[in-house]
Amino acid sequence: MTAETDLMKLYSQRILALAADIPHHARLDAPQASAKKRSPLCGSTVTVDLEMDGGRITKFGQDVKACALGQAAASVVARVVIGCTFPEVKAARDELAGMLQGGNAPSAPFDGLEVLKPAAEFKNRHASILLCLDATLEAAQTLMDREHA
């Protein structure tokens, strides 16, 4: 396979459709916490705003400036993250990182991230794919730290 064929396979129609339709793509007006993450390799950034109640995410907003893979990951996450707890988001992040290293796809409700499995062979894209979950975890951790301070 040529590099061009590999890239075309990587940017499948499903990934491009997800990237074009990102839910919760606006920042929250008055979030309880925010976090911005940047991929040093490609410059992609994702900023996440959160509100939580009872340990669960109740509101989620994001500003995504990333490649199609990072956008697709943010799209999948945004569809299922409301109602999730920190441990559930952490598990999804760890499972996604594992999948990108050749492991299994994340479990429900984050199983839609399996669409990104072909990106495993493109290590320079991994950080961009993980940005949304990384930013969500950082914002949630900020809230939890504030509650226990």
Side-chain angles (χ1 to χ4, degrees):
M1 275 195 188
T2 67
E4 188 173 312
T5 304
D6 287 347
L7 255 171
M8 288 177 65
K9 184 173 84 174
L10 179 62
Y11 288 104
S12 70
Q13 289 295 351
R14 178 76 179 127
I15 288 171
L16 294 175
L18 285 166
D21 184 25
I22 302 174
H24 306 289
H25 66 277
R27 305 234 5 226
L28 299 179
D29 289 333
Q32 294 172 331
S34 299
K36 182 176 183 176
K37 290 291 186 179
R38 180 181 178 278
S39 169
L41 280 177
C42 65
S44 292
T45 62
V46 175
T47 303
V48 167
D49 296 329
L50 283 185
E51 290 186 23
M52 295 180 77
D53 186 30
R56 294 196 175 275
I57 296 170
T58 56
K59 290 186 181 178
F60 177 87
Q62 61 183 344
D63 179 33
V64 181
K65 292 182 175 32
C67 65
L69 297 172
Q71 290 176 27
S75 182
V76 172
V77 170
R79 291 171 200 283
V80 299
V81 75
I82 293 176
C84 289
T85 63
F86 181 89
E88 290 167 337
V89 176
K90 175 87 168 83
R93 194 267 180 223
D94 293 346
E95 290 170 351
L96 178 58
M99 180 188 80
L100 293 172
Q101 298 300 319
N104 295 324
S107 54
F110 294 94
D111 49 337
L113 291 166
E114 182 175 19
V115 71
L116 296 162
K117 198 167 183 84
E121 55 192 277
F122 297 89
K123 294 191 184 315
N124 61 332
R125 305 297 175 130
H126 293 187
S128 180
I129 292 168
L130 293 166
L131 285 175
C132 182
L133 287 169
D134 287 341
T136 302
L137 286 172
E138 184 176 307
Q141 186 67 57
T142 298
L143 285 176
M144 293 187 318
D145 291 347
R146 216 179 281 154
E147 285 179 11
H148 295 101

